Amino acid sequence: MGARTIAARLHGTPAPGVPRWAVRTGYAITLAVLPSCLWRIGGFILGLPLLDHGPTPPEQDPASFDGGWGYILALSVVSEALAFLCFGLVARWGEVWPRWIPGLGGRPVPVLAAVLPAGLGSAVLMVFPYAMVMFSLGLTIRGDRNLGLVTHGWQTVTFWAGYLPLAAWGPLLAVLTVHYYRRRRAG
């Protein structure tokens, strides 16, 4: 079984008329989210040495937050599920409701039912690069000193390797959203 067959089984068949660049962009979104999910799971759940737990007081230790491993796992699963939904902007199931959905199965998906949440999600995700720059300066989004996550040396490299691809999610989703809107309105 080839890579295309596996991808088609996981994501569904691309809709007719969707250019190859758009399909690749859909795949890129699901892959861009994966490294940050793996970094969170590795650092917080599996206890890999991705964080510096040294001189940080216990109440500020990122591994001691109240949400625990369930929060990290849920955040990672929900992030990847939302990234997977972005593929609906290029897949057949993003144009026609799947048959297994009661009351909607087989009906066309209204264009705005896909474009509005995708556009809003893209706008929200555009804040992420700003947040990452602030974090790299040791600040919160509001500009306060950040006393939470601490990384040094190779830990910082693994952090950025995990989270930098995530910054592409918003712009890639914006491109797919505009393409979906234009394609569905033209057809």
Side-chain angles (χ1 to χ4, degrees), residues 46-70:
L46 300 178
L48 299 176
L50 300 175
L51 305 164
D52 182 5
H53 299 288
T56 307
E59 66 275 2
Q60 294 175 354
D61 183 357
S64 69
F65 66 94
D66 291 336
W69 66 269

PDB file of all heavy atoms in Angstrom, residues 46-70:
ATOM      1  N   LEU A  46       5.437  11.912  29.216  1.00  0.00           N
ATOM      2  CA  LEU A  46       6.465  10.877  29.289  1.00  0.00           C
ATOM      3  C   LEU A  46       7.663  11.292  30.142  1.00  0.00           C
ATOM      4  O   LEU A  46       8.506  10.455  30.457  1.00  0.00           O
ATOM      5  CB  LEU A  46       6.935  10.499  27.880  1.00  0.00           C
ATOM      6  CG  LEU A  46       5.846   9.944  26.955  1.00  0.00           C
ATOM      7  CD1 LEU A  46       6.416   9.651  25.579  1.00  0.00           C
ATOM      8  CD2 LEU A  46       5.209   8.704  27.558  1.00  0.00           C
ATOM      9  N   GLY A  47       7.740  12.578  30.484  1.00  0.00           N
ATOM     10  CA  GLY A  47       8.821  13.050  31.349  1.00  0.00           C
ATOM     11  C   GLY A  47      10.183  13.116  30.675  1.00  0.00           C
ATOM     12  O   GLY A  47      11.211  13.105  31.351  1.00  0.00           O
ATOM     13  N   LEU A  48      10.199  13.176  29.346  1.00  0.00           N
ATOM     14  CA  LEU A  48      11.476  13.337  28.649  1.00  0.00           C
ATOM     15  C   LEU A  48      12.111  14.659  29.070  1.00  0.00           C
ATOM     16  O   LEU A  48      11.394  15.625  29.368  1.00  0.00           O
ATOM     17  CB  LEU A  48      11.271  13.288  27.133  1.00  0.00           C
ATOM     18  CG  LEU A  48      10.695  11.984  26.581  1.00  0.00           C
ATOM     19  CD1 LEU A  48      10.458  12.096  25.075  1.00  0.00           C
ATOM     20  CD2 LEU A  48      11.604  10.817  26.888  1.00  0.00           C
ATOM     21  N   PRO A  49      13.419  14.757  29.085  1.00  0.00           N
ATOM     22  CA  PRO A  49      14.081  15.976  29.575  1.00  0.00           C
ATOM     23  C   PRO A  49      14.019  17.132  28.571  1.00  0.00           C
ATOM     24  O   PRO A  49      15.040  17.685  28.167  1.00  0.00           O
ATOM     25  CB  PRO A  49      15.517  15.510  29.821  1.00  0.00           C
ATOM     26  CG  PRO A  49      15.729  14.412  28.847  1.00  0.00           C
ATOM     27  CD  PRO A  49      14.387  13.720  28.732  1.00  0.00           C
ATOM     28  N   LEU A  50      12.817  17.522  28.167  1.00  0.00           N
ATOM     29  CA  LEU A  50      12.629  18.615  27.226  1.00  0.00           C
ATOM     30  C   LEU A  50      12.462  19.955  27.935  1.00  0.00           C
ATOM     31  O   LEU A  50      12.454  20.994  27.295  1.00  0.00           O
ATOM     32  CB  LEU A  50      11.408  18.341  26.340  1.00  0.00           C
ATOM     33  CG  LEU A  50      11.480  17.062  25.501  1.00  0.00           C
ATOM     34  CD1 LEU A  50      10.171  16.838  24.772  1.00  0.00           C
ATOM     35  CD2 LEU A  50      12.647  17.129  24.536  1.00  0.00           C
ATOM     36  N   LEU A  51      12.286  19.904  29.250  1.00  0.00           N
ATOM     37  CA  LEU A  51      12.107  21.109  30.059  1.00  0.00           C
ATOM     38  C   LEU A  51      13.173  21.132  31.143  1.00  0.00           C
ATOM     39  O   LEU A  51      13.629  20.095  31.594  1.00  0.00           O
ATOM     40  CB  LEU A  51      10.729  21.103  30.732  1.00  0.00           C
ATOM     41  CG  LEU A  51       9.527  20.950  29.821  1.00  0.00           C
ATOM     42  CD1 LEU A  51       8.310  20.583  30.633  1.00  0.00           C
ATOM     43  CD2 LEU A  51       9.295  22.239  29.085  1.00  0.00           C
ATOM     44  N   ASP A  52      13.524  22.339  31.576  1.00  0.00           N
ATOM     45  CA  ASP A  52      14.471  22.487  32.679  1.00  0.00           C
ATOM     46  C   ASP A  52      13.660  22.626  33.962  1.00  0.00           C
ATOM     47  O   ASP A  52      13.010  23.636  34.194  1.00  0.00           O
ATOM     48  CB  ASP A  52      15.354  23.708  32.466  1.00  0.00           C
ATOM     49  CG  ASP A  52      16.385  23.883  33.554  1.00  0.00           C
ATOM     50  OD1 ASP A  52      16.487  22.999  34.427  1.00  0.00           O
ATOM     51  OD2 ASP A  52      17.086  24.896  33.533  1.00  0.00           O
ATOM     52  N   HIS A  53      13.680  21.605  34.799  1.00  0.00           N
ATOM     53  CA  HIS A  53      12.932  21.631  36.052  1.00  0.00           C
ATOM     54  C   HIS A  53      13.828  22.050  37.223  1.00  0.00           C
ATOM     55  O   HIS A  53      13.443  21.902  38.365  1.00  0.00           O
ATOM     56  CB  HIS A  53      12.338  20.246  36.351  1.00  0.00           C
ATOM     57  CG  HIS A  53      11.386  19.774  35.313  1.00  0.00           C
ATOM     58  ND1 HIS A  53      10.129  20.300  35.154  1.00  0.00           N
ATOM     59  CD2 HIS A  53      11.507  18.837  34.331  1.00  0.00           C
ATOM     60  CE1 HIS A  53       9.521  19.693  34.154  1.00  0.00           C
ATOM     61  NE2 HIS A  53      10.337  18.804  33.637  1.00  0.00           N
ATOM     62  N   GLY A  54      15.017  22.553  36.925  1.00  0.00           N
ATOM     63  CA  GLY A  54      16.012  22.886  37.940  1.00  0.00           C
ATOM     64  C   GLY A  54      15.556  23.827  39.030  1.00  0.00           C
ATOM     65  O   GLY A  54      14.832  23.447  39.943  1.00  0.00           O
ATOM     66  N   PRO A  55      15.945  25.100  38.985  1.00  0.00           N
ATOM     67  CA  PRO A  55      15.689  26.020  40.097  1.00  0.00           C
ATOM     68  C   PRO A  55      14.274  26.585  40.151  1.00  0.00           C
ATOM     69  O   PRO A  55      13.988  27.442  40.963  1.00  0.00           O
ATOM     70  CB  PRO A  55      16.699  27.145  39.855  1.00  0.00           C
ATOM     71  CG  PRO A  55      16.876  27.165  38.379  1.00  0.00           C
ATOM     72  CD  PRO A  55      16.753  25.722  37.948  1.00  0.00           C
ATOM     73  N   THR A  56      13.388  26.106  39.304  1.00  0.00           N
ATOM     74  CA  THR A  56      12.025  26.622  39.288  1.00  0.00           C
ATOM     75  C   THR A  56      11.291  26.194  40.557  1.00  0.00           C
ATOM     76  O   THR A  56      11.286  25.015  40.897  1.00  0.00           O
ATOM     77  CB  THR A  56      11.266  26.090  38.060  1.00  0.00           C
ATOM     78  OG1 THR A  56      12.034  26.385  36.895  1.00  0.00           O
ATOM     79  CG2 THR A  56       9.898  26.714  37.938  1.00  0.00           C
ATOM     80  N   PRO A  57      10.669  27.138  41.281  1.00  0.00           N
ATOM     81  CA  PRO A  57       9.888  26.761  42.467  1.00  0.00           C
ATOM     82  C   PRO A  57       8.764  25.800  42.075  1.00  0.00           C
ATOM     83  O   PRO A  57       8.234  25.887  40.968  1.00  0.00           O
ATOM     84  CB  PRO A  57       9.303  28.090  42.957  1.00  0.00           C
ATOM     85  CG  PRO A  57      10.144  29.142  42.326  1.00  0.00           C
ATOM     86  CD  PRO A  57      10.682  28.567  41.056  1.00  0.00           C
ATOM     87  N   PRO A  58       8.394  24.861  42.962  1.00  0.00           N
ATOM     88  CA  PRO A  58       7.379  23.848  42.626  1.00  0.00           C
ATOM     89  C   PRO A  58       6.071  24.431  42.117  1.00  0.00           C
ATOM     90  O   PRO A  58       5.464  23.872  41.219  1.00  0.00           O
ATOM     91  CB  PRO A  58       7.164  23.100  43.942  1.00  0.00           C
ATOM     92  CG  PRO A  58       8.390  23.350  44.747  1.00  0.00           C
ATOM     93  CD  PRO A  58       8.925  24.681  44.301  1.00  0.00           C
ATOM     94  N   GLU A  59       5.629  25.574  42.668  1.00  0.00           N
ATOM     95  CA  GLU A  59       4.351  26.128  42.228  1.00  0.00           C
ATOM     96  C   GLU A  59       4.429  26.701  40.813  1.00  0.00           C
ATOM     97  O   GLU A  59       3.419  26.962  40.184  1.00  0.00           O
ATOM     98  CB  GLU A  59       3.835  27.198  43.205  1.00  0.00           C
ATOM     99  CG  GLU A  59       4.687  28.447  43.278  1.00  0.00           C
ATOM    100  CD  GLU A  59       5.854  28.321  44.257  1.00  0.00           C
ATOM    101  OE1 GLU A  59       6.039  27.252  44.853  1.00  0.00           O
ATOM    102  OE2 GLU A  59       6.577  29.303  44.416  1.00  0.00           O
ATOM    103  N   GLN A  60       5.660  26.910  40.278  1.00  0.00           N
ATOM    104  CA  GLN A  60       5.819  27.429  38.927  1.00  0.00           C
ATOM    105  C   GLN A  60       6.355  26.367  37.972  1.00  0.00           C
ATOM    106  O   GLN A  60       6.609  26.640  36.816  1.00  0.00           O
ATOM    107  CB  GLN A  60       6.765  28.630  38.929  1.00  0.00           C
ATOM    108  CG  GLN A  60       6.205  29.810  39.670  1.00  0.00           C
ATOM    109  CD  GLN A  60       7.212  30.948  39.752  1.00  0.00           C
ATOM    110  OE1 GLN A  60       8.352  30.815  39.346  1.00  0.00           O
ATOM    111  NE2 GLN A  60       6.772  32.067  40.275  1.00  0.00           N
ATOM    112  N   ASP A  61       6.547  25.149  38.445  1.00  0.00           N
ATOM    113  CA  ASP A  61       7.064  24.075  37.623  1.00  0.00           C
ATOM    114  C   ASP A  61       5.998  23.686  36.599  1.00  0.00           C
ATOM    115  O   ASP A  61       4.871  23.351  36.964  1.00  0.00           O
ATOM    116  CB  ASP A  61       7.402  22.868  38.503  1.00  0.00           C
ATOM    117  CG  ASP A  61       8.026  21.726  37.729  1.00  0.00           C
ATOM    118  OD1 ASP A  61       8.146  21.832  36.488  1.00  0.00           O
ATOM    119  OD2 ASP A  61       8.399  20.730  38.365  1.00  0.00           O
ATOM    120  N   PRO A  62       6.319  23.752  35.279  1.00  0.00           N
ATOM    121  CA  PRO A  62       5.317  23.435  34.268  1.00  0.00           C
ATOM    122  C   PRO A  62       4.759  22.026  34.398  1.00  0.00           C
ATOM    123  O   PRO A  62       3.625  21.765  34.024  1.00  0.00           O
ATOM    124  CB  PRO A  62       6.061  23.583  32.943  1.00  0.00           C
ATOM    125  CG  PRO A  62       7.383  24.156  33.239  1.00  0.00           C
ATOM    126  CD  PRO A  62       7.600  24.116  34.718  1.00  0.00           C
ATOM    127  N   ALA A  63       5.532  21.087  34.944  1.00  0.00           N
ATOM    128  CA  ALA A  63       5.054  19.718  35.081  1.00  0.00           C
ATOM    129  C   ALA A  63       4.071  19.566  36.242  1.00  0.00           C
ATOM    130  O   ALA A  63       3.426  18.541  36.368  1.00  0.00           O
ATOM    131  CB  ALA A  63       6.242  18.773  35.278  1.00  0.00           C
ATOM    132  N   SER A  64       3.947  20.605  37.087  1.00  0.00           N
ATOM    133  CA  SER A  64       3.061  20.488  38.244  1.00  0.00           C
ATOM    134  C   SER A  64       1.733  21.216  38.041  1.00  0.00           C
ATOM    135  O   SER A  64       1.007  21.422  38.989  1.00  0.00           O
ATOM    136  CB  SER A  64       3.764  21.052  39.492  1.00  0.00           C
ATOM    137  OG  SER A  64       3.900  22.447  39.375  1.00  0.00           O
ATOM    138  N   PHE A  65       1.411  21.608  36.810  1.00  0.00           N
ATOM    139  CA  PHE A  65       0.159  22.330  36.593  1.00  0.00           C
ATOM    140  C   PHE A  65      -1.026  21.431  36.914  1.00  0.00           C
ATOM    141  O   PHE A  65      -0.939  20.211  36.869  1.00  0.00           O
ATOM    142  CB  PHE A  65       0.093  22.890  35.179  1.00  0.00           C
ATOM    143  CG  PHE A  65       0.021  21.844  34.110  1.00  0.00           C
ATOM    144  CD1 PHE A  65      -1.193  21.440  33.613  1.00  0.00           C
ATOM    145  CD2 PHE A  65       1.178  21.271  33.609  1.00  0.00           C
ATOM    146  CE1 PHE A  65      -1.257  20.469  32.644  1.00  0.00           C
ATOM    147  CE2 PHE A  65       1.110  20.300  32.636  1.00  0.00           C
ATOM    148  CZ  PHE A  65      -0.104  19.896  32.156  1.00  0.00           C
ATOM    149  N   ASP A  66      -2.159  22.059  37.233  1.00  0.00           N
ATOM    150  CA  ASP A  66      -3.330  21.333  37.718  1.00  0.00           C
ATOM    151  C   ASP A  66      -3.948  20.375  36.696  1.00  0.00           C
ATOM    152  O   ASP A  66      -4.505  19.361  37.058  1.00  0.00           O
ATOM    153  CB  ASP A  66      -4.409  22.318  38.177  1.00  0.00           C
ATOM    154  CG  ASP A  66      -3.991  23.059  39.424  1.00  0.00           C
ATOM    155  OD1 ASP A  66      -3.143  22.536  40.168  1.00  0.00           O
ATOM    156  OD2 ASP A  66      -4.499  24.168  39.640  1.00  0.00           O
ATOM    157  N   GLY A  67      -3.860  20.707  35.408  1.00  0.00           N
ATOM    158  CA  GLY A  67      -4.510  19.899  34.390  1.00  0.00           C
ATOM    159  C   GLY A  67      -3.919  18.517  34.237  1.00  0.00           C
ATOM    160  O   GLY A  67      -4.600  17.593  33.824  1.00  0.00           O
ATOM    161  N   GLY A  68      -2.662  18.359  34.566  1.00  0.00           N
ATOM    162  CA  GLY A  68      -2.020  17.060  34.486  1.00  0.00           C
ATOM    163  C   GLY A  68      -1.932  16.502  33.085  1.00  0.00           C
ATOM    164  O   GLY A  68      -2.120  17.202  32.093  1.00  0.00           O
ATOM    165  N   TRP A  69      -1.644  15.207  33.014  1.00  0.00           N
ATOM    166  CA  TRP A  69      -1.424  14.569  31.720  1.00  0.00           C
ATOM    167  C   TRP A  69      -2.695  14.526  30.885  1.00  0.00           C
ATOM    168  O   TRP A  69      -2.643  14.518  29.669  1.00  0.00           O
ATOM    169  CB  TRP A  69      -0.838  13.179  31.908  1.00  0.00           C
ATOM    170  CG  TRP A  69      -1.765  12.215  32.579  1.00  0.00           C
ATOM    171  CD1 TRP A  69      -1.879  11.971  33.902  1.00  0.00           C
ATOM    172  CD2 TRP A  69      -2.742  11.401  31.943  1.00  0.00           C
ATOM    173  NE1 TRP A  69      -2.859  11.046  34.149  1.00  0.00           N
ATOM    174  CE2 TRP A  69      -3.407  10.677  32.947  1.00  0.00           C
ATOM    175  CE3 TRP A  69      -3.126  11.205  30.624  1.00  0.00           C
ATOM    176  CZ2 TRP A  69      -4.425   9.775  32.674  1.00  0.00           C
ATOM    177  CZ3 TRP A  69      -4.144  10.299  30.344  1.00  0.00           C
ATOM    178  CH2 TRP A  69      -4.775   9.601  31.370  1.00  0.00           C
ATOM    179  N   GLY A  70      -3.866  14.495  31.533  1.00  0.00           N
ATOM    180  CA  GLY A  70      -5.130  14.464  30.790  1.00  0.00           C
ATOM    181  C   GLY A  70      -5.325  15.712  29.946  1.00  0.00           C
ATOM    182  O   GLY A  70      -5.790  15.642  28.806  1.00  0.00           O
TER     183      GLY A  70
END
